[in-house]
């Protein structure tokens, strides 16, 4: 197949417990080397700076509280968007989150978590802009807890997808939550004409409505990434929500506008990339 140009971005920070993945043995570097060896153009960038902290502005207790409340609101909107059936269970969950919000009023009024969310958001958006500006046709945006035991198998499966003339715009690459936990199983189906050609048996699934499995590892067509950025820029800066929710909110709007349709966002089962922090948390529990 013809060569493809890819931008690889990695979100990290200097005190990360996964800082070893910033270097030559990390997934981002290994992917970049493998792509170049296969004859593809590849630009890579690692973000370790806290970009908000470099140019901070005043964060108020009200901003912190609004951030938490907006995430709760978005979760309800996301539940409806994904057409999930357990409405009573969701109402109970939201009621519980609202109750915890008021019980933890003091904690939710502190700016520490808000500052963390802004630093992460700024890093992701910086990489999105760099990817679009690079001229690459695809971007793989990773967080530093993303890992894969088989980089060559990952590329063997991914490259035919991004080199094809299909309408695919976004590919979820990480197994952070199961598809049942995300609540998209009923929206998925195998795709005719597209398959995963990696070294391990995996099923490529189209989703009727776009969704993320966190932002640990996603491949974006950069033309679509530019549309995501346009929507980001059109939204108010506050309230702040985790970048996963910010992206999901944008996906809902882009779906409603027709900018992304059925089966233009893909999931892979099992996913070729594991989110180490999620594994660590599950083992701790």
């Amino acid at each position: 197949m013809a060569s493809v140009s890819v931008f690889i971005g990695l979100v990290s920070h200097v005190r990360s417990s996964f800082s070893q993945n910033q270097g030559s043995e990390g997934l981002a570097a290994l992917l970049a080397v493998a792509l170049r060896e296969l004859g593809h153009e590849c630009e890579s960038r690692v973000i370790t700076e806290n970009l908000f902290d470099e140019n901070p502005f005043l964060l108020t207790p009200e901003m912190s509280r609004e951030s938490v409340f907006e995430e709760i609101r978005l979760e309800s909107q996301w539940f409806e968007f994904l057409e999930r059936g357990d409405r009573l269970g969701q109402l109970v969950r939201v009621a519980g989150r609202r109750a915890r919000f008021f019980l933890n009023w003091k904690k939710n009024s502190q700016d520490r978590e808000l500052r963390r969310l802004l630093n992460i958001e700024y890093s992701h958006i910086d990489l999105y802009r760099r990817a679009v500006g690079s001229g690459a046709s695809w971007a793989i945006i990773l967080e530093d807890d993303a890992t894969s035991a088989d980089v060559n198998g990952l590329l063997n499966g991914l490259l035919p997808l991004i080199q094809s003339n299909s309408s695919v715009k976004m590919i979820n690459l990480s197994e952070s939550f199961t598809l049942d936990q995300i609540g998209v199983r009923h929206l998925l189906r195998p795709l005719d004409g597209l398959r995963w050609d990696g070294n391990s048996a995996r099923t490529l699934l189209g989703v009727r409505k776009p969704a993320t499995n966190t932002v640990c590892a996603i491949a974006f067509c950069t033309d679509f990434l530019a549309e995501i950025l346009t929507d980001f820029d059109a939204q108010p800066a506050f309230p702040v929500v985790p970048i996963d929710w910010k992206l999901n909110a944008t996906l809902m709007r882009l779906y409603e506008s027709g900018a992304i349709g059925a089966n233009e966002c893909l999931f892979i089962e099992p996913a070729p990339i594991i989110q180490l922090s999620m594994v660590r948390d599950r083992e701790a529990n």
Side-chain angles (χ1 to χ4, degrees):
M1 287 188 175
S3 64
V4 64
S5 56
V6 180
F7 177 93
I8 297 178
L10 178 70
V11 174
S12 187
H13 61 95
V14 292
R15 292 189 298 275
S16 171
S17 57
F18 302 101
S19 59
Q20 70 276 10
N21 292 328
Q22 298 168 10
S24 60
E25 297 304 310
L27 180 57
L30 294 174
L31 283 171
V33 169
L35 281 164
R36 292 174 186 131
E37 288 178 347
L38 291 170
H40 302 286
E41 297 179 29
C42 183
E43 180 180 336
S44 61
R45 167 71 173 164
V46 177
I47 296 282
T48 58
E49 303 88 348
N50 285 329
L51 298 178
F52 172 77
D53 289 346
E54 290 184 358
N55 293 284
F57 50 81
L58 179 65
L59 300 175
T60 67
E62 183 180 9
M63 288 177 178
S64 298
R65 292 191 295 270
E66 286 178 349
S67 171
V68 178
F69 208 73
E70 177 65 7
E71 182 182 342
I72 297 171
R73 188 195 69 80
L74 269 177
E75 181 179 340
S76 295
Q77 186 181 359
W78 187 239
F79 184 94
E80 296 293 335
F81 177 75
L82 294 182
E83 304 170 18
R84 296 178 62 174
D86 184 17
R87 182 164 179 78
L88 178 60
Q90 175 64 8
L91 290 173
V92 170
R93 175 180 169 82
V94 169
R97 290 203 65 187
R98 288 174 182 265
R100 289 193 297 274
F101 169 84
F102 290 109
L103 288 172
N104 294 307
W105 184 265
K106 184 176 180 180
K107 178 182 176 182
N108 289 328
S109 299
Q110 297 172 356
D111 71 3
R112 181 177 179 181
E113 177 64 11
L114 186 59
R115 188 177 302 276
R116 187 185 74 87
L117 293 179
L118 283 166
N119 277 317
I120 295 171
E121 176 183 319
Y122 282 19
S123 291
H124 276 272
I125 292 177
D126 182 86
L127 289 174
Y128 290 2
R129 295 196 194 282
R130 290 176 186 273
V132 172
S134 73
S137 54
W138 278 83
I140 302 172
I141 308 299
L142 306 168
E143 294 186 327
D144 65 6
D145 57 348
T147 188
S148 175
D150 184 5
V151 173
N152 289 329
L154 169 57
L155 286 179
N156 287 342
L158 181 60
L159 281 172
L161 297 178
I162 66 178
Q163 290 173 297
S164 71
N165 293 320
S166 71
S167 61
V168 174
K169 296 178 178 178
M170 173 181 165
I171 307 169
N172 288 285
L173 297 172
S174 77
E175 186 167 323
S176 303
F177 295 100
T178 68
L179 299 180
D180 295 302
Q181 286 173 321
I182 302 168
V184 296
R185 177 74 67 182
H186 62 291
L187 299 175
L188 299 171
R189 70 173 183 82
L191 292 177
D192 297 331
L194 290 178
R195 62 175 186 169
W196 184 263
D197 286 331
N199 302 332
S200 300
R202 305 185 193 278
T203 303
L204 192 64
L205 299 165
V207 62
R208 183 158 55 82
K209 290 183 172 182
T212 67
N213 189 348
T214 79
V215 291
C216 173
I218 303 177
F220 297 97
C221 171
T222 52
D223 287 345
F224 182 59
L225 200 52
E227 295 192 67
I228 290 172
L229 285 170
T230 297
D231 184 82
F232 279 5
D233 292 341
Q235 305 308 315
F238 289 91
V240 174
V241 293
I243 185 64
D244 315 71
W245 284 111
K246 186 180 182 78
L247 180 56
N248 282 333
T250 286
L251 290 176
M252 286 190 282
R253 287 188 290 268
L254 292 180
Y255 176 81
E256 295 300 330
S257 73
I260 184 169
N263 304 316
E264 295 182 337
C265 171
L266 307 183
F267 285 85
I268 302 156
E269 189 177 39
I273 290 175
I274 300 299
Q275 186 169 4
L276 290 171
S277 62
M278 301 293 287
V279 173
R280 182 184 61 188
D281 292 346
R282 283 194 291 268
E283 290 175 347
N285 294 327

